[in-house]
Amino acid sequence: MGRSMGWTIRIEVGPQDVMASRFAISPLIETLHALRILSGSHEAGVLQPWAASKRAVYVRLLREPGMAALVTLFRRGAYNADFTGPPPSGVNVAIEDELAVVRATPPAQAHDEIARNLAGLPAPPPEIRATLERPDVAQVFADTLEAAWREILAPDWPRFKAILERDVVRRAGRLATYGWSAALEDLSPRIRLRTERDPAHIELRMDHAGSDETHRLGGRGLLFVPSVCGTGVGAYLEDAWPYALAYPAWGVAVPPARRDGLARLIGKTRSAILHALPATTTQLAALLTLSVGGAGDHVAALRGAGLISGTRTGRAVLYHRTALGEALIGDRPDDA
């Protein structure tokens, strides 16, 4: 099929794929998304104030050959080298483990992916080309990403991770309880589940040049990767990856205090906690810049009033709004 502006990716799904699907959080992919915002490759959106606060650090890092070469590879609507952001293995993966995978990339693979990444782009300057052709380019990029993580993202990671964990809990519950439609319904206006024909499929509409594609999960499930810094939905459909959807996490733009009358009734902090759920006490502390003890006191008060309830998941307790809490905030449960 000829290439055109505007095309569709179809991912066929079956009943087994619901059970096989899983969620992952990747500090490395989050670092890459943050660099895309700071480089201007992606718009900052609601993260504009955060991006402005990191600009000076980014400009300093950009003077290093590794960062300049990495940013040269950033593309929208086209292939980006896979080895710089390998698929995460779970929700608690450490960035050191992810960087070790990058460092272990065989030179031939790294150079092949870089060549594919550069296809159709203007030739990079000689100093950038020299970095990209180094036999240890994977090591160079890993060191670059490690510095970017340490200086740009790590200071904000507790809050970012709390947002990501909350999204995982919410969306995994929807997928397990209600199936594909509920899990996908607010990912993006460009994504929808089509069930009018067999097999059912996820349809992702693209707005850049490309050719229609059809892929089949075949019982392998889908890997969901939420992102705070990611500004759009991306489909990872390379054979080297688990089939995955990266998408903006829910609740990135939720302010600590709401503008509603509920804050005047029970206080801004308790109103913000109600709107931020589901979350654990530790996540609420990170999200709302509270001490864990302070968040626990507010949670206890809300629980005593019958507005929230808790469910133990491992060592933590995940809090949800009760029916009374839902009625009190006056929103649909997912509008926060």
Side-chain angles (χ1 to χ4, degrees):
M1 182 175 294
R3 299 180 70 83
S4 62
M5 291 301 292
W7 54 293
T8 301
I9 295 175
R10 296 178 179 86
I11 305 173
E12 296 179 357
V13 298
Q16 299 89 347
D17 293 308
V18 172
M19 297 300 296
S21 292
R22 57 207 186 280
F23 292 77
I25 292 173
S26 172
L28 179 55
I29 290 176
E30 201 66 62
T31 301
L32 283 164
H33 286 163
L35 290 175
R36 287 180 176 274
I37 288 177
L38 293 170
S39 70
S41 175
H42 288 168
E43 295 183 2
V46 298
L47 292 176
Q48 183 61 51
W50 177 85
S53 73
K54 305 295 182 179
R55 186 72 58 191
V57 177
Y58 169 73
V59 170
R60 175 168 54 79
L61 292 174
L62 192 58
R63 299 190 188 107
E64 299 296 326
M67 182 64 75
L70 179 64
V71 170
T72 298
L73 297 179
F74 289 167
R75 303 186 70 174
R76 298 189 69 172
Y79 175 78
N80 287 263
D82 290 318
F83 78 93
T84 61
S89 57
V91 295
N92 292 312
V93 62
I95 191 163
E96 293 80 9
D97 294 335
E98 294 188 292
L99 290 171
V101 176
V102 177
R103 290 189 171 98
T105 305
Q109 176 188 339
H111 290 145
D112 286 347
E113 292 185 9
I114 289 171
R116 181 181 174 191
N117 196 151
L118 291 173
L121 291 177
E127 62 274 17
I128 298 296
R129 172 71 69 178
T131 300
L132 295 175
E133 291 178 349
R134 287 179 54 160
D136 63 342
V137 64
Q139 176 71 46
V140 171
F141 279 174
D143 292 344
T144 297
L145 289 164
E146 184 174 22
W149 159 260
R150 183 176 61 251
E151 299 196 42
I152 293 174
L153 206 64
D156 302 296
W157 186 242
R159 181 174 183 272
F160 282 15
K161 188 179 181 185
I163 294 172
L164 296 171
E165 289 175 339
R166 184 178 58 172
D167 178 275
V168 167
V169 168
R170 173 178 176 269
R171 203 168 301 279
R174 283 177 155 206
L175 179 65
T177 305
Y178 303 110
W180 288 109
S181 181
L184 298 171
E185 68 177 2
D186 62 347
L187 270 183
S188 167
R190 296 191 291 113
I191 288 183
R192 59 176 172 170
L193 180 69
R194 305 298 297 267
T195 59
E196 64 271 18
R197 66 182 187 186
D198 190 35
H201 63 274
I202 299 167
E203 185 176 272
L204 173 58
R205 299 189 306 278
M206 312 301 289
D207 57 5
H208 53 268
S211 303
D212 289 354
E213 301 175 10
T214 298
H215 302 268
R216 186 170 181 268
L217 293 181
R220 294 175 297 175
L222 195 62
L223 180 68
F224 289 89
V225 185
S227 173
V228 172
C229 297
T231 56
V233 173
Y236 294 87
L237 301 170
E238 297 290 324
D239 289 339
W241 271 70
Y243 282 4
L245 285 179
Y247 61 92
W250 171 76
V252 174
V254 176
R258 298 284 294 217
R259 62 185 184 276
D260 55 15
L262 180 60
R264 294 192 295 272
L265 177 65
I266 65 174
K268 290 182 179 180
T269 300
R270 291 176 186 176
S271 174
I273 287 174
L274 273 183
H275 284 92
L277 298 181
T280 66
T281 302
T282 301
Q283 291 169 349
L284 289 170
L287 287 166
L288 304 176
T289 320
L290 303 170
S291 68
V292 174
D297 290 342
H298 289 297
V299 164
L302 292 169
R303 193 171 188 177
L307 302 180
I308 67 176
S309 61
T311 303
R312 179 162 293 280
T313 57
R315 296 182 178 180
V317 177
L318 183 70
Y319 292 98
H320 299 263
R321 293 183 293 270
T322 62
L324 178 59
E326 297 286 5
L328 192 58
I329 66 172
D331 291 331
R332 287 176 57 249
D334 294 324
D335 281 347

